[in-house]
Amino acid sequence: MHVTSERRLDDGLVERTFTLGEIPGFLWTPDSASATAPVPLILLGHPTLGLDRMYPRLVARARSAAAEGFAAATIELPGCGDRPRWDTLAQAGAELRRVMQAGEPVTEEIIDALVLPLVEKAVPEWQSALDALLELPEVGGPVGYSGGVISIGVRLALVDPRIEAAGLFAGSFVPRAIMEEARQVTIPLHVLLQWDDEGNDRQAALDLFDAFASKEKTLQANMGGHTGVPQHAGEDAARFFSRHLLPMPQSR
């Protein structure tokens, strides 16, 4: 991991940009983080819009995480932002937009073509980033995953034992294969569902939640569309991560 810049934001949050090979990313740490007091880490997932477009929302989430005592990090997804164009992803996205604009049904074949290659490529990249981030003396475990393409979160929760809790956003199409993987996920989960999300199949989101094998899983459903997430939903997610990733206070 090569750090390309570092700056301290006005609230004391330290922001570093880095590259991992061709993959750009951000790391945010609270000013309390140090080699003698490492902090837990939350990986900030995001949709395929590119880090430049997502930056305001990502840094806001990082500030919220830092206020609870977490470092936060993210990386650019394959074929997005300044990364090389990925024809597979571009063609699948174009086909999805075509059928939705035409009012045609979104078939399993379209969902598989769009999501599964992204999961197969992105998850090992997230794991490589996690390898590098956990080598930093001021960043320690445990680790959580928050938001982003829900299928990436499901796969990460299944294959990487370092992910101890996940907060997922039910806002993207889920292939049948990922639905089956969800039946093996057992870590604590907090799933956010916007009830009137215009781009999300509500029943599919409910079926996915039902499929998770986690003994502790919470579904928080709020009225409103994809971008209408209420502020208190973010606060509830923060409390979820604090409960599972921060040490319990010592009793007197």
Side-chain angles (χ1 to χ4, degrees):
M1 187 174 80
H2 175 61
V3 175
T4 55
S5 71
E6 179 174 328
R7 63 173 180 156
R8 186 177 297 272
L9 304 184
D10 53 11
D11 54 358
L13 188 69
V14 177
E15 177 184 274
R16 277 172 275 185
T17 60
F18 65 85
T19 57
L20 191 70
E22 66 169 20
I23 307 168
F26 285 96
L27 170 64
W28 295 276
T29 51
D31 55 11
S32 61
S34 68
T36 56
V39 295
L41 174 66
I42 296 179
L43 302 177
L44 301 181
H46 53 89
T48 56
L49 300 176
L51 287 182
D52 285 348
R53 289 181 60 185
M54 289 300 301
Y55 177 82
R57 280 181 273 177
L58 288 166
V59 74
R61 291 165 63 192
R63 291 181 194 275
S64 176
E68 298 294 326
F70 296 102
T74 193
I75 57 173
E76 186 69 270
L77 292 174
C80 300
D82 294 329
R83 293 189 62 178
R85 175 185 167 86
W86 187 15
D87 288 340
T88 298
L89 185 65
Q91 291 166 6
E95 177 63 9
L96 175 64
R97 289 189 294 273
R98 185 194 68 77
V99 300
M100 293 185 72
Q101 289 169 1
E104 300 173 6
V106 179
T107 65
E108 289 188 9
E109 290 75 16
I110 293 173
I111 295 172
D112 287 355
L114 178 68
V115 178
L116 291 179
L118 181 63
V119 171
E120 294 292 339
K121 193 167 185 178
V123 167
E125 292 180 351
W126 275 108
Q127 292 183 287
S128 295
L130 186 53
D131 292 341
L133 290 162
L134 290 179
E135 290 181 358
L136 300 174
E138 68 273 28
V139 177
V143 181
Y145 177 85
S146 173
V149 177
I150 196 168
S151 293
I152 292 176
V154 172
R155 175 69 63 81
L156 264 175
L158 177 62
V159 303
D160 200 314
R162 295 172 295 183
I163 307 294
E164 297 190 24
L168 305 175
F169 188 93
S172 52
F173 295 104
V174 179
R176 185 178 297 274
I178 298 296
M179 188 78 73
E180 291 305 311
E181 291 183 10
R183 302 185 191 282
Q184 304 173 61
V185 172
T186 59
I187 63 172
L189 298 173
H190 182 93
V191 181
L192 176 64
L193 171 63
Q194 286 300 102
W195 200 249
D196 305 303
D197 190 336
E198 59 280 1
N200 186 40
D201 184 327
R202 182 193 302 163
Q203 188 58 54
L206 295 173
D207 291 344
L208 176 63
F209 180 79
D210 189 52
F212 287 121
S214 304
K215 291 183 178 178
E216 181 181 332
K217 56 180 180 179
T218 299
L219 177 68
Q220 184 181 77
N222 293 286
M223 302 304 293
H226 188 77
T227 59
V229 180
Q231 181 177 341
H232 68 78
E235 295 167 354
D236 291 341
R239 283 190 287 269
F240 164 79
F241 283 116
S242 295
R243 189 164 66 250
H244 289 286
L245 302 181
L246 292 179
M248 294 292 291
Q250 295 288 331
S251 58
R252 293 181 181 272

